[in-house]
Amino acid sequence: MLASVMAPVWACILVAAGILATDTHQPRDSALYHLSKQLLQNYHKEVRPVYNWTKATTVYLDLFVHAILDVDAENQILKTSVWYREVWNDEFLSWNSSLFDEIREISLPLSAIWAPDIIINEFMDVERSPDLPYVYVNSSGTIENSKPIQVVSACSLETYAFPFDVQNCSLTFKSILHTVEDVDLAFLRSPEDIKRDKKVFLNDSEWELLSVSSTYSILQSSAGGFAQIQFNVVMRRHPLVYVVSLLIPSIFLMLVDLGSFYVPPNCQARIVFKTSVLVGYTVFRVNMSNQVPRSVGSTPLIGHFFSICMAFLVLSLAKSIVLVKFLHDERRGGQQQPFLCLRGNTDADRPRVEPRAQRALITESSFYGEHLAQPGTLKEIWSQLQCISNYLQTQDQTDQQEAEWLVLLSRFDRLLFRSYLFMLGLYTITLCSLWALWGGV
């Protein structure tokens, strides 16, 4: 009997306790829900959020460079990872925090409110940028939109001073539709703070961030003036890996080629030596083409020097080949002369004589002539002696011509050597100067 009477009482007590427990968490959640509903209920995101339409909406911009992902000199493209912030005031999204349980800041969907149409002029593509669908709004109506972006932008890249090059690429932010009378731009931080702020930059890549300077300007066009803010990302390349893999081997090859000038110009070993150096140049040039950036507008300075040195090498090699071929033909023609004085021998019967036995052949030819000729025939003996005399005169003329050619080519060799040495010195001084200028940036 008592249990049947107390059962409804206990049920009421439990219900009341549940209601009280629910009411202890309801006020804050209810305030946030009602605040969001009140702000967005009659909100029109198509309208610029100002009560006075003649008042411009000022958007404050800020930029942090996080990393330099890729520098494509051939296609003139820069790929960077940046952290971008924009702040503006929405007069339709303000509230009295005391009426909503002291809520001073909430997050709202970006797709549900008005947002400035800010773009990057140099923009070409956005890769794998995370989509952040919410923005923060405070009680005064200030909206902050922060997001990381991987920007692929166009940039005029100069590779002339490679690998000591310094690049300056710009990211220009502006409204695509609204003129400065509707949407104005300003800096969220001072330009001095933006310029030297590298605390979030990852400095373990090929490039080093030097500064991010910024300027404000108004771009005039037929549609009116458009406010824009330009961030200039100044960076320089870390050259050590290229000094070790490109510059030092190239100077070494040039020094080896200079050593070939101390080999006599009429020596066939010089041709073999220079051919080996030329093969080394060619292999090195193929490997270098994979590391040196290619650009339509400019060619790296080391490419110019290397081409000039290859031209000197080919010219010197061609000169040595022509000289050896000329001297070889002259000696062959002179060696065949004594056999014309011998009677009764055909071309097939004539022995082959090495150059070092040439003088001995001249002496022995008279002995052979005496045996081939009839004894006592002085006329034939005299003709043999005249033939030998003519050969000696011809050999003397050949030796004299050879000496003249050697003198001429020796002078040409000295000219090539001095020019080569001058180019090597100029190459070294230029690289050292570029390195000094790189270090002073």
Side-chain angles (χ1 to χ4, degrees):
M1 184 74 175
L2 181 60
S4 62
V5 174
M6 293 299 294
V9 176
W10 283 110
C12 293
I13 293 174
L14 292 174
V15 171
I19 294 174
L20 291 175
T22 304
D23 289 343
T24 56
H25 297 85
Q26 183 67 23
R28 180 173 295 276
D29 294 340
S30 177
L32 183 60
Y33 171 76
H34 286 295
L35 175 59
S36 300
K37 183 178 180 179
Q38 177 179 326
L39 291 175
L40 298 178
Q41 185 174 11
N42 297 319
Y43 188 88
H44 297 282
K45 64 179 183 179
E46 298 84 4
V47 180
R48 190 166 58 88
V50 289
Y51 290 107
N52 183 5
W53 68 271
T54 60
K55 179 182 177 182
T57 300
T58 302
V59 181
Y60 298 89
L61 303 183
D62 196 7
L63 187 73
F64 296 90
V65 178
H66 183 254
I68 298 172
L69 304 178
D70 187 29
V71 178
D72 188 352
E74 183 176 3
N75 298 313
Q76 300 288 290
I77 291 177
L78 171 69
K79 185 186 297 184
T80 53
S81 175
V82 301
W83 187 269
Y84 170 69
R85 288 199 305 165
E86 55 184 12
V87 177
W88 70 93
N89 187 66
D90 193 320
E91 299 180 5
F92 300 156
L93 294 179
S94 60
W95 69 90
N96 188 350
S97 59
S98 61
L99 299 179
F100 294 93
D101 200 17
E102 298 299 330
I103 298 175
R104 301 184 182 276
E105 189 176 57
I106 63 172
S107 61
L108 294 176
L110 180 61
S111 59
I113 64 174
W114 180 90
D117 54 341
I118 305 299
I119 64 166
I120 303 176
N121 282 351
E122 298 83 3
F123 167 84
M124 296 186 66
D125 191 12
V126 176
E127 293 189 351
R128 297 183 297 275
S129 298
D131 185 17
L132 302 182
Y134 292 94
V135 294
Y136 275 112
V137 184
N138 63 21
S139 58
S140 62
T142 301
I143 301 176
E144 180 178 349
N145 181 20
S146 300
K147 54 185 176 182
I149 309 175
Q150 287 190 12
V151 183
V152 180
S153 58
C155 179
S156 179
L157 300 170
E158 294 291 338
T159 59
Y160 182 75
F162 173 86
F164 308 105
D165 49 334
V166 177
Q167 307 293 345
N168 188 347
C169 298
S170 60
L171 298 175
T172 307
F173 294 83
K174 64 181 289 289
S175 173
I176 191 174
L177 180 63
H178 297 89
T179 61
V180 69
E181 287 81 10
D182 296 331
V183 175
D184 197 5
L185 301 180
F187 295 106
L188 186 60
R189 295 182 297 161
S190 65
E192 290 75 16
D193 293 338
I194 298 174
K195 184 175 183 179
R196 298 300 175 186
D197 190 359
K198 297 184 285 185
K199 58 185 178 182
V200 299
F201 182 74
L202 298 179
N203 202 18
D204 56 351
S205 63
E206 182 182 352
W207 295 89
E208 175 188 358
L209 180 65
L210 296 179
S211 63
V212 183
S213 58
S214 53
T215 56
Y216 170 86
S217 61
I218 296 178
L219 178 64
Q220 298 293 338
S221 66
S222 59
F226 292 85
Q228 64 179 17
I229 289 181
Q230 185 177 54
F231 296 95
N232 295 306
V233 181
V234 182
M235 55 192 175
R236 66 180 179 184
R237 193 191 304 266
H238 291 296
L240 183 59
V241 62
Y242 297 101
V243 170
V244 174
S245 62
L246 287 180
L247 301 186
I248 293 179
S250 66
I251 294 177
F252 177 74
L253 276 174
M254 295 175 188
L255 290 175
V256 171
D257 192 21
L258 278 176
S260 66
F261 284 92
Y262 289 95
V263 181
N266 59 338
C267 181
Q268 293 185 1
R270 181 173 186 174
I271 298 178
V272 177
F273 185 80
K274 280 190 168 292
T275 303
S276 302
V277 176
L278 181 60
V279 172
Y281 262 104
T282 305
V283 173
F284 180 76
R285 187 62 183 267
V286 172
N287 295 332
M288 185 182 72
S289 63
N290 297 326
Q291 301 185 47
V292 176
R294 290 174 293 180
S295 176
V296 178
S298 61
T299 303
L301 183 63
I302 62 173
H304 291 293
F305 277 109
F306 209 74
S307 299
I308 294 174
C309 291
M310 284 195 69
F312 278 126
L313 172 60
V314 172
L315 184 61
S316 178
L317 178 61
K319 181 265 303 177
S320 299
I321 293 175
V322 171
L323 174 62
V324 172
K325 181 68 168 58
F326 172 77
L327 295 180
H328 180 68
D329 292 342
E330 287 290 329
R331 289 172 181 174
R332 283 190 60 187
Q335 290 170 7
Q336 294 176 359
Q337 294 265 341
F339 297 104
L340 300 178
C341 303
L342 302 179
R343 186 166 51 90
N345 285 20
T346 62
D347 291 340
D349 296 332
R350 292 169 187 167
R352 295 182 181 178
V353 182
E354 298 295 332
R356 59 186 180 183
Q358 181 175 346
R359 293 296 181 180
L361 176 64
I362 300 173
T363 306
E364 294 176 358
S365 60
S366 60
F367 176 78
Y368 292 143
E370 293 177 358
H371 285 273
L372 293 174
Q374 295 294 331
T377 308
L378 297 178
K379 184 177 181 180
E380 293 185 1
I381 296 175
W382 177 252
S383 64
Q384 295 289 335
L385 292 176
Q386 284 183 335
C387 185
I388 294 173
S389 176
N390 293 335
Y391 168 73
L392 292 176
Q393 293 178 359
T394 304
Q395 186 65 29
D396 291 339
Q397 293 177 358
T398 303
D399 293 341
Q400 184 178 0
Q401 290 179 358
E402 180 179 341
E404 293 175 355
W405 274 101
L406 286 176
V407 171
L408 178 62
L409 291 176
S410 296
R411 294 176 180 175
F412 186 66
D413 245 15
R414 286 195 295 269
L415 177 62
L416 276 180
F417 177 78
R418 293 171 182 174
S419 302
Y420 209 149
L421 195 63
F422 172 76
M423 288 302 302
L424 181 58
L426 182 62
Y427 177 56
T428 305
I429 293 174
T430 303
L431 291 180
C432 293
S433 302
L434 290 176
W435 200 341
L437 292 175
W438 175 90
V441 175

